[in-house]
Amino acid sequence: MSAQVHKARRHDSALKHVTGQALYIDDMPEPPGTLHGALVLSTIACGKLVKVDIAVASKMPGVVAVLGPTDIPGKNDVAAIGQNEPLFAVDRIEFAGQALAMVVADTLDAARAAVEKVVVEIEAEEPILDIATALERKAYVQAPSTVLRGDPDAALASAPHRLEAEFSVGGQEHFYLEGQIAFALPGEDGDITVQSSTQHPTEVQHICARLLGCDFNRVTAVVRRLGGGFGGKESNASWVAAAAAVAANHTGRPVKLRLPREVDMVATGKRHGFDYRYTVGFDDEGRLRALDAVLAADAGWSLDLTPGVVARALTHTDNAYWIPHFRAVGYACRTNKQSNTAFRGFGGPQGVVIMEDALDRIALHLGRDPVEVRALNFYAEGRDETPYGQKVDENHLARCWAEVKQGGEIERRRAEIDAFNAANPVLKRGLGLFPLKFGISFNLPHMNQAGALVHVYTDGSIRLNHGGTEMGQGLFIKVAQIVAEVFKVDIDRIRPSATSTAEVPNTSPTAASTGTDLNGWAAWEAANTIRQRMVAYAAEHFGVAEADIEFADGTVRIAKPGSNQVLSFGELAKLCWLGRVSLSSTGYYKTPKIHWDPVAMRGRPFFYFSFGAAMAEVAIDTLTGESRVLRADLVQDCGESLNPAIDLGQIEGAFVQGQGWLTCEELWWDARGRLRTAGPSTYKIPGSRDVPPVFNVTLLDNAPSREATIFRSKAVGEPPLMLATAVWTALKDAIGAVGGRNAAVRLDAPATPERVLAAVERARQGREQSVTRNG
């Protein structure tokens, strides 16, 4: 039997996914008496809540209860951090889509019909609906924060060249295939079990207990699988679960609450949109001297997870580049929209785009190749520090850059694209490259911990439980591979079980690309503890040294003088049980070396960096603004990949999701603050035809992590999403070709046909989109 790690293994639920046998919460059999919930939502974005009249709704056929804030036995607060985020609004309306009440009925149709009969009266007030207005009114959900190094003001004043620019990027809807859903089942003595589609079972447990007014030990959160999460089910799933739990507690019957797509989109948070302003200073060669940047995030109406998103954006503003003098100020702007939340990359994508815009402008200003200007400013291995004080070790930037240029045939294709553009007045092509340095760990050090529970049964089969949730990313199979490697048994002997707060408590969310890093090590610790017990007993039982016990190929070999005795793994497990040896163990892991001062914004927030590079080729139609990605070449640093097949799928999916954020996924609110892109008819996610027809993905070879990551692997969930920045860069290159590249291109994202067309028109007129100052 070969090694169980560092090899391609199919997803543990792959066949069930494609055959429809995988059970999600809405597929689970409903016990007799199950009730169904539907939410009453505000259609006003801001104002005073005068009345919620449930008289007619409560008498509708099949309605069992209509619940509001007075029906919550505990505290009416579902905030993940901070406080004062009510499950049901009390006196103020903060966004269109805010929950006011919930109807619980015998059938889903009855519940939804009754919702239409609830009469809501609100005294509307003028909402804040954009970042600019929030900045003008100093409306923030937290105080501004700053990452500072050196003296950027003096460095900018003395720089041979300076450029100023501004642009914006929009938010993004998670659009998971399985919408927000929870199923709450009441038990004895006030106990309640909540099946939740969540990335954070412990937070579900805590929020449910807070609203029920009970101890955490009365609530068990269970998660077998999610139909996608992408960060949208880190905090938002908790209030959905809490609403179901409150209803189950109130009625004494099982309650299922699932949000239809439109309700899901208008009621839950999204990726934060950002506005940017910056000044960059540089020398005659294009070397960076200083950056002074403002990043303003649309937080929505409440805190949610915005502090972490803004912090990660600030710590990724430098991206791959050494900037001697640096200031980045982050504003968390309060608007009357859905409270924005985690999304794959968690602020990193919004941070890295600044320097990519700046370096394109620098290259144009100096008449140099933007590919060369980027490489000129790369961090040096082990020498340079980030603006927040962390050394850039194990630096694979140059390797990734060289490989993507070689594999993407940059010189040939650049010449072909230039020739194409010269011959075609309507269609234009562009080429964009992007390097990546992305930090792996949670921003908050205390979240970088995990637990696991492993049982070995006397037939040699193994049950595995840990605090991570499986949302299609392959976490369960990777952790199972780790346990199989410890015991040297076939992966089929490992049975991953549903994540449960009753088995592994106090878990961190499955987020920040840390799922395998944290839970993999915890499972290794648990499995290795059992293995050591088994080795010690076998050595004593057979009268040999522990070094003479070898696990291999599902067997255990005992080396004796003159002969070897071989047992199956199951036979040794039964022998250990007969010898009264525990075959169950917990495991625990906490990430080493990390520390962070959130006030000074300095420290080592990341255990390690993941690196990558991308090259993208696009075509635009200058008459319609439509665009296509023709080819993408990606190189991603995964360390020594635990499962190359899983990692390849993650890279491809992340890139296309990032492409969607930057090109077609546009969120639009009307003048009254109502989200109008609330379904697939108006909100465009990438489809199969948007995937680049030539799509080359390479895992960086011979790059095992030098840090003590699990089997020297590296995280892969979030970093590749940022590689899609190459598409945005390529679009600007194509637009620039319209005007002979005589003016910088401002292209706000998402680069919809309308925005591309407007940028094309500016390029035709040769209008400069930045302010230039020399020395």
Side-chain angles (χ1 to χ4, degrees):
M1 184 191 307
S2 60
Q4 296 298 308
V5 294
H6 309 313
K7 65 184 301 183
R9 292 281 189 180
R10 73 183 182 198
H11 193 290
D12 58 293
S13 296
L15 292 177
K16 291 189 284 289
H17 286 157
V18 298
T19 59
Q21 297 177 73
L23 293 179
Y24 296 88
I25 293 175
D26 218 11
D27 300 317
M28 295 177 179
E30 297 174 2
T34 294
L35 301 175
H36 301 267
L39 297 175
V40 179
L41 304 179
S42 169
T43 58
I44 301 296
C46 181
K48 179 181 179 182
L49 179 60
V50 177
K51 179 176 65 175
V52 179
D53 187 346
I54 64 171
V56 175
S58 61
K59 297 176 182 178
M60 293 280 288
V63 172
V64 174
V66 183
L67 306 176
T70 59
D71 299 301
I72 296 172
K75 188 176 182 181
N76 182 20
D77 187 1
V78 295
I81 55 177
Q83 55 184 357
N84 298 325
E85 295 183 28
L87 172 63
F88 301 128
V90 178
D91 52 11
R92 293 285 309 168
I93 298 301
E94 304 291 355
F95 71 98
Q98 186 168 3
L100 310 179
M102 181 170 72
V103 175
V104 184
D106 290 332
T107 67
L108 182 58
D109 286 345
R112 290 176 177 174
V115 163
E116 300 300 321
K117 299 299 182 181
V118 175
V119 178
V120 177
E121 183 178 337
I122 299 169
E123 292 180 1
E125 299 171 5
E126 182 184 0
I128 298 175
L129 297 176
D130 57 74
I131 293 172
T133 304
L135 286 171
E136 181 183 344
R137 299 183 186 181
K138 296 184 178 180
Y140 309 130
V141 298
Q142 66 170 14
S145 49
T146 302
V147 173
L148 176 66
R149 173 170 60 197
D151 188 344
D153 293 327
L156 286 169
S158 64
H161 306 274
R162 294 195 305 278
L163 294 174
E164 296 177 7
E166 59 184 47
F167 66 99
S168 65
V169 299
Q172 187 177 20
E173 168 61 33
H174 301 89
F175 220 95
Y176 23 65
L177 290 179
E178 177 197 33
Q180 298 279 3
I181 185 169
F183 194 9
L185 295 91
E188 295 182 341
D189 302 322
D191 287 357
I192 194 161
T193 299
V194 183
Q195 296 275 355
S196 173
S197 183
T198 180
Q199 296 172 235
H200 200 347
T202 290
E203 185 180 292
V204 165
Q205 178 192 41
H206 292 182
I207 299 297
C208 288
R210 183 191 300 167
L211 269 73
L212 294 175
C214 68
D215 290 339
F216 295 161
N217 63 9
R218 290 188 178 274
V219 180
T220 299
V222 180
V223 186
R224 173 55 187 94
R225 60 172 59 86
L226 288 67
F230 311 119
K233 294 177 180 175
E234 184 175 343
S235 63
N236 277 280
S238 300
W239 69 260
V240 175
V246 167
N249 178 75
H250 183 89
T251 63
R253 293 165 63 178
V255 173
K256 182 187 287 185
L257 174 62
R258 73 267 234 190
L259 307 189
R261 182 68 63 184
E262 181 178 358
V263 170
D264 196 324
M265 291 185 72
V266 302
T268 64
K270 302 158 195 334
R271 184 189 294 281
H272 294 65
F274 272 63
D275 284 357
Y276 306 94
R277 297 195 308 272
Y278 69 84
T279 304
V280 62
F282 51 99
D283 65 17
D284 293 339
E285 297 299 313
R287 285 187 178 86
L288 296 165
R289 293 283 187 86
L291 177 73
D292 186 13
V294 170
L295 297 80
D298 186 343
W301 78 274
S302 68
L303 197 62
D304 200 271
L305 300 179
T306 295
V309 170
V310 171
R312 187 166 281 261
L314 293 175
T315 54
H316 284 77
T317 301
D318 60 319
N319 188 23
Y321 311 108
W322 163 249
I323 309 170
H325 300 273
F326 181 98
R327 178 168 53 225
V329 183
Y331 292 89
C333 297
R334 187 184 187 280
T335 62
N336 292 111
K337 296 179 182 177
Q338 296 82 351
S339 188
N340 288 321
T341 190
F343 200 122
R344 197 175 194 172
F346 202 75
Q350 296 99 313
V352 300
V353 293
I354 286 186
M355 288 312 303
E356 301 313 307
D357 188 75
L359 287 162
D360 279 338
R361 292 172 181 273
I362 289 169
L364 177 68
H365 178 74
L366 297 175
R368 297 197 61 193
D369 184 348
V371 175
E372 295 177 359
V373 173
R374 281 177 167 81
L376 181 69
N377 288 286
F378 282 169
Y379 276 108
E381 164 66 25
R383 184 194 70 199
D384 294 338
E385 281 189 357
T386 65
Y388 47 90
Q390 180 168 347
K391 273 195 173 182
V392 183
D393 291 323
E394 198 179 349
N395 185 345
H396 295 315
L397 280 168
R399 280 192 62 196
C400 293
W401 197 243
E403 289 194 17
V404 84
K405 289 197 299 178
Q406 181 179 3
E409 305 171 281
I410 185 171
E411 293 180 1
R412 177 186 66 79
R413 290 171 61 204
R414 180 75 267 177
E416 287 181 356
I417 289 168
D418 289 344
F420 178 90
N421 289 339
N424 288 271
V426 174
L427 299 180
K428 298 293 181 182
R429 290 185 178 179
L431 192 67
L433 278 80
F434 170 75
L436 174 68
K437 171 185 65 65
F438 186 76
I440 303 297
S441 287
F442 284 103
N443 295 66
L444 298 175
H446 74 265
M447 295 178 70
N448 295 282
Q449 58 177 309
L453 176 64
V454 173
H455 302 318
V456 174
Y457 295 102
T458 54
D459 65 349
S461 62
I462 299 163
R463 185 176 177 88
L464 165 64
N465 192 274
H466 54 79
T469 59
E470 176 58 58
M471 48 192 145
Q473 83 279 37
L475 174 63
F476 275 22
I477 188 63
K478 282 188 171 182
V479 179
Q481 286 176 266
I482 291 165
V483 173
E485 181 68 15
V486 172
F487 291 117
K488 302 295 183 182
V489 299
D490 190 88
I491 193 74
D492 293 338
R493 301 312 308 275
I494 314 295
R495 179 79 170 180
S497 58
T499 310
S500 170
T501 56
E503 294 192 55
V504 175
N506 310 320
T507 59
S508 294
T510 305
S513 303
T514 63
T516 303
D517 285 4
L518 296 178
N519 296 287
W521 262 126
W524 186 93
E525 291 286 350
N528 195 54
T529 297
I530 299 171
R531 174 178 163 140
Q532 288 175 345
R533 291 174 189 161
M534 296 175 76
V535 168
Y537 180 76
E540 178 185 0
H541 181 81
F542 292 104
V544 299
E546 291 187 8
D548 295 326
I549 310 296
E550 180 188 5
F551 286 65
D553 300 331
T555 64
V556 182
R557 297 185 179 92
I558 296 93
K560 291 185 175 182
S563 66
N564 290 333
Q565 185 169 350
V566 179
L567 286 74
S568 71
F569 179 76
E571 287 172 331
L572 179 58
K574 187 170 184 179
L575 189 65
C576 288
W577 175 72
L578 291 170
R580 296 188 296 178
V581 174
S582 172
L583 296 175
S584 176
S585 179
T586 59
Y588 176 78
Y589 173 76
K590 60 179 180 179
T591 308
K593 298 185 178 182
I594 55 175
H595 56 90
W596 181 245
D597 182 338
V599 177
M601 295 290 282
R602 289 190 63 79
R604 178 177 176 163
F606 309 119
F607 187 30
Y608 62 86
F609 292 109
S610 173
F611 300 91
M615 182 188 302
E617 181 178 347
V618 304
I620 63 170
D621 185 328
T622 62
L623 299 181
T624 66
E626 292 178 285
S627 66
R628 292 287 183 271
V629 181
L630 305 177
R631 176 172 170 174
D633 295 86
L634 316 180
V635 176
Q636 180 63 51
D637 167 26
C638 295
E640 192 168 356
S641 172
L642 288 172
N643 188 324
I646 294 293
D647 287 352
L648 180 64
Q650 283 290 287
I651 294 167
E652 292 172 343
F655 179 86
V656 174
Q657 191 171 49
Q659 177 185 326
W661 169 55
L662 291 167
T663 62
C664 62
E665 296 188 44
E666 184 176 30
L667 295 162
W668 186 79
W669 287 262
D670 66 17
R672 294 172 57 187
R674 296 173 298 180
L675 181 67
R676 291 305 200 181
T677 48
S681 63
T682 51
Y683 184 80
K684 185 185 183 305
I685 64 171
S688 59
R689 294 185 180 183
D690 295 300
V691 177
V694 180
F695 199 3
N696 302 315
V697 180
T698 303
L699 304 187
L700 188 66
D701 191 30
N702 193 27
S705 173
R706 294 206 297 263
E707 293 292 354
T709 58
I710 187 69
F711 289 110
R712 304 297 173 178
S713 63
K714 282 189 176 183
V716 73
E718 293 172 301
L721 184 140
M722 278 149 278
L723 297 183
T725 308
V727 173
W728 182 60
T729 303
L731 287 169
K732 291 193 292 179
D733 183 58
I735 293 166
V738 174
R741 296 193 173 87
N742 60 358
V745 174
R746 171 173 174 167
L747 181 62
D748 294 344
T752 59
E754 294 87 348
R755 290 195 177 101
V756 170
L757 199 58
V760 164
E761 183 58 29
R762 291 194 296 268
R764 282 200 179 103
Q765 297 176 9
R767 281 190 273 158
E768 179 69 46
Q769 295 301 309
S770 62
V771 178
T772 304
R773 294 191 178 94
N774 292 325

